[in-house]
């Protein structure tokens, strides 16, 4: 079966391809994964990227990303490996286009890549709202790598799950402070009533 994008999906693909970083806020079932795979396919063909790290909760890491590649003929030339389980050390060094890892695997990845050449140039964070709190271990494990990615994409259906304060962490991942600054205290002071 061939993936035929809707008009809004075409706009989203174009946005990702033309911009170094950005977020896609779409409700579940509207094709965030397919949109991202199409952008990856275009960027790889243009030699703008070589290897992708997808950070996702465990269920989408296993069930959504690999299955979406199998489902659509458009993506049959994209290879993917899930970095989880007893074979993850070996899988880290394979030649797949995409490595998918869950949030809990970030500390392992950080230790595994310490002092080695950084292999990824695109970060995709599926459910980027998981990074709303900049004080968590998952955020701290990812932070040292953020500037090493040429591009950073965030995907979510719930950008501000509890309050508008929740958008700070994900936006910091995407643009490294260009929008709201690098500190949540400044973000609170500038945009919220105390």
């Amino acid at each position: 079966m061939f993936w035929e994008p809707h008009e809004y999906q075409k706009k989203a693909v174009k946005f990702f391809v033309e911009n170094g970083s950005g977020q896609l806020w779409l409700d579940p079932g509207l094709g965030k994964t397919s949109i991202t795979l199409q952008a990856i396919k275009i960027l790889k063909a243009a030699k703008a990227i070589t290897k992708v790290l997808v950070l996702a909760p465990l269920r989408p890491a296993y069930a959504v990303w690999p299955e979406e590649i199998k489902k659509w003929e458009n993506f049959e030339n994209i290879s993917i490996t899930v970095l989880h389980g007893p074979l993850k050390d070996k899988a880290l060094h394979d030649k797949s286009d995409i490595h998918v890892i869950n949030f809990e695997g970030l500390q392992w990845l950080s230790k595994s890549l310490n002092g080695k050449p950084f292999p990824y140039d695109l970060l995709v964070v599926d459910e980027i709202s998981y990074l709303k709190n900049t004080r968590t271990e998952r955020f701290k494990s990812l932070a040292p790598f953020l500037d090493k990615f040429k591009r950073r994409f965030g995907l979510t259906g719930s950008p501000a799950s509890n309050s508008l304060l929740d958008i700070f962490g994900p936006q910091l991942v995407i643009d490294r402070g260009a929008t709201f600054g690098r500190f949540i205290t400044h973000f609170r002071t500038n945009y919220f009533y105390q």
Side-chain angles (χ1 to χ4, degrees), residues 119-182:
Y120 308 105
D121 40 24
L122 169 61
L123 171 69
V124 177
V125 184
D126 193 349
E127 295 305 333
I128 196 166
S129 55
Y130 277 46
L131 296 173
K132 64 186 176 187
N133 186 343
T134 57
R135 294 183 187 149
T136 61
E137 283 305 313
R138 69 174 63 135
F139 196 99
K140 290 176 183 176
S141 296
L142 180 62
F145 297 117
L146 288 173
D147 290 330
K148 295 181 180 188
F149 294 100
K150 287 192 241 175
R151 295 171 175 263
R152 292 175 299 279
F153 299 161
L155 313 174
T156 189
S158 55
S161 52
N162 297 318
S163 77
L164 289 174
L165 284 168
D166 290 348
I167 63 173
F168 176 79
Q171 193 60 31
L172 183 62
V173 168
I174 297 301
D175 71 11
R176 306 303 293 129
T179 302
F180 299 128
R182 295 184 68 91

Side-chain angles (χ1 to χ4, degrees), residues 40-102:
I40 289 168
K41 180 180 171 183
I42 292 167
L43 290 167
K44 280 192 69 62
K47 299 195 182 324
I49 61 169
T50 55
K51 197 163 187 88
V52 179
L53 179 66
V54 173
L55 182 57
L58 200 53
R59 190 194 66 73
Y62 273 111
V64 176
W65 285 89
E67 291 305 313
E68 201 72 12
I69 288 174
K70 288 179 196 168
K71 181 178 178 181
W72 305 110
E73 291 175 31
N74 315 47
F75 311 130
E76 63 188 11
N77 293 327
I78 297 175
S79 57
I80 188 166
T81 300
V82 178
L83 299 179
H84 189 261
L87 300 177
K88 65 185 174 192
D89 289 303
K90 184 178 178 188
L92 181 60
H93 304 290
D94 75 9
K95 302 289 185 205
S96 294
D97 299 314
I98 300 173
H99 280 163
V100 184
I101 191 168
N102 68 327

